[in-house]
Each structure stands twice: as C-alpha cells, then as structure tokens.
Amino acid sequence: MELSPAQITLLARHPLFSAIPNGHLTDALKCLNASCQTFSPEEVLFPVHEPLTRLGILLSGDVLLEREDFWGARLILGHAGRGRIIGEVYACLRHEPMDVWAVATTPVTVLFLDIHNSLDPRSHCPYTAALLSGLVPLLAQKTLALSRRVEHASKHSIRQKVLSYLSQQADIQNSDTFDIPLNRQELADYLGVDRSALSTALSKMKKDKLITCRKNHFTLLEPQ
C-alpha cells in the first residue's frame, strides 16, 4: 500500500489516530490491514445487505450516504468529504447488515481499515485501546449529525426545514455566506421533501429577503 506524503499527513492528524504515539502510524495501519481503493462517481463503496468488517477514511472525493425504501424512494442521510470516516457504525457491529448506500459523487479514494477484527478482545493488535479512544468521539459525532437531520426533518413546513438546515450550516462554517455540500435534488432528498416544492420555497424565501442563493451558494440575510 503506497500513500502519498499528503495522505500520510492527513492520517497522522486524523482524530481516529489521535492517541497513536508519534512514529507508530505505519504499524497501526498494518495492524488494521489497511488498503486503498479508488471509486468512480456513482459507485457504491460498501456491499449492501452484508455485515461489514471495515470502515473507510476518505482520502479524497465526496460521498453521499443514502437509503432506499421498498419502492425506490431515496432518503439522503448525510454527506462525507475528505477526512471523514464512513461505515464505522456497521463495522463495530458483528452481525448487523449494511443498509445504507455510500455512493461516490466524485472520483473517490478510500483507505479501508479492518477495525472490526482489530477491536475484537481476542485480537493481538497493540493499538486497540488507542483506536477505541479515537473511535468513540467519532461515533458520537455521527450520532449528533443524525440527530440534527431529525431536527431539520421534524419541522412542519418546507421553509422551516430549509431554515433549520441553513442555520446549522452557517454555524458550522461560522459565516452567513457559505456553500452547502448538496445540490437541489440531494437537499430535497435530505430534508424529505419534493424538489419542485423545495424550489418554490427557496424562491419565496428569496422574495421575502431571508436568503440569497445560486446553486449551492447561500447567504443568510438579516431581518429588515
């Protein structure tokens, strides 16, 4: 497995490895049976309906996490970009099959780690405690992200759903002008609304001088 200097730097600074002693990253990656894989847009990163033993760290590219119901309706659960981990919840569960599609939206490079077997009590991996120390906060962040999505989707009107989401993005990016990681269809799927209804709501919000927007670039406006 060959990693570029930039990729090594990214991993050395990654929260998952925050408790790994300096100079031991290469050994930790060997312990985790690390391997790199590339994906093209629209490819699925993990086999669906099968238990996982690996989690992935995105070294480059963007991924949508989505689920489909029986009739094929898509629900977007979240977005992951460079440095984010994916599949970690299922990799920590022994028998739970993956029921989420991790779909590349750009060319993607992923570092896969055999976290499931390495965290087994019978494992001889000397970095187990350090990996758990880094993994627990990341699992907590995933829980927080899902609770935020529930908060947005629970609003009564499309306008309230959009304002809830945009307010969160403004807080995350510490600016009232920002880009969101979703296009219109993806935002509609994420909020659980019809795309045309979303477009109508955005147009009304612009007319009411709550926002300005072009594609995925938004500015939140102060009340007049």
Side-chain angles (χ1 to χ4, degrees):
M1 179 189 63
E2 292 292 334
L3 294 173
S4 70
Q7 291 171 335
I8 292 173
T9 298
L10 172 66
L11 294 173
R13 296 175 179 173
H14 198 280
L16 181 62
F17 302 115
S18 59
I20 300 294
N22 290 336
H24 289 252
L25 177 61
T26 300
D27 290 338
L29 293 178
K30 290 180 180 178
C31 179
L32 293 165
N33 296 319
S35 62
C36 277
Q37 190 172 347
T38 59
F39 297 86
S40 300
E42 305 302 324
E43 279 197 88
V44 178
L45 278 60
F46 293 104
V48 183
H49 306 311
E50 297 179 16
L52 295 187
T53 62
R54 306 187 300 172
L55 63 78
I57 299 179
L58 292 177
L59 299 180
S60 65
D62 294 282
V63 169
L64 283 180
L65 305 174
E66 50 188 68
R67 180 179 284 133
E68 290 186 358
D69 65 19
F70 181 82
W71 296 272
R74 183 174 72 158
L75 177 67
I76 292 182
L77 302 176
H79 163 271
R82 181 175 180 268
R84 288 282 301 277
I85 65 172
I86 52 177
E88 71 278 14
V89 173
Y90 293 90
C92 289
L93 299 172
R94 187 175 299 275
H95 302 298
E96 189 70 24
M98 182 79 166
D99 62 353
V100 174
W101 278 255
V103 183
T105 58
T106 67
V108 165
T109 301
V110 183
L111 181 73
F112 287 110
L113 307 173
D114 188 0
I115 195 83
H116 177 84
N117 291 330
S118 298
L119 296 181
D120 190 297
R122 296 164 294 182
S123 170
H124 298 294
C125 178
Y127 300 101
T128 295
L131 290 167
L132 278 173
S133 177
L135 183 60
V136 169
L138 294 173
L139 291 171
Q141 288 178 2
K142 180 62 66 68
T143 301
L144 179 59
L146 290 175
S147 69
R148 284 172 171 167
R149 186 195 172 280
V150 170
E151 178 184 352
H152 306 325
S154 67
K155 302 298 182 181
H156 294 297
S157 69
I158 295 177
R159 175 180 288 207
Q160 290 174 336
K161 295 176 193 286
V162 174
L163 288 177
S164 177
Y165 174 76
L166 294 179
S167 294
Q168 178 209 318
Q169 290 296 310
D171 287 340
I172 291 173
Q173 302 188 44
N174 195 30
S175 174
D176 56 8
T177 297
F178 50 86
D179 293 336
I180 67 171
L182 307 173
N183 62 34
R184 286 288 187 274
Q185 184 61 60
E186 292 163 352
L187 179 58
D189 291 338
Y190 178 76
L191 297 175
V193 301
D194 179 74
R195 178 177 176 173
S196 62
L198 172 64
S199 296
T200 299
L202 289 173
S203 296
K204 290 181 178 178
M205 291 165 65
K206 290 168 67 176
K207 183 178 180 180
D208 293 341
K209 298 183 178 180
L210 294 174
I211 64 169
T212 63
C213 63
R214 185 177 184 275
K215 294 185 178 180
N216 68 333
H217 185 74
F218 286 80
T219 297
L220 306 187
L221 303 177
E222 294 285 346
Q224 295 289 319

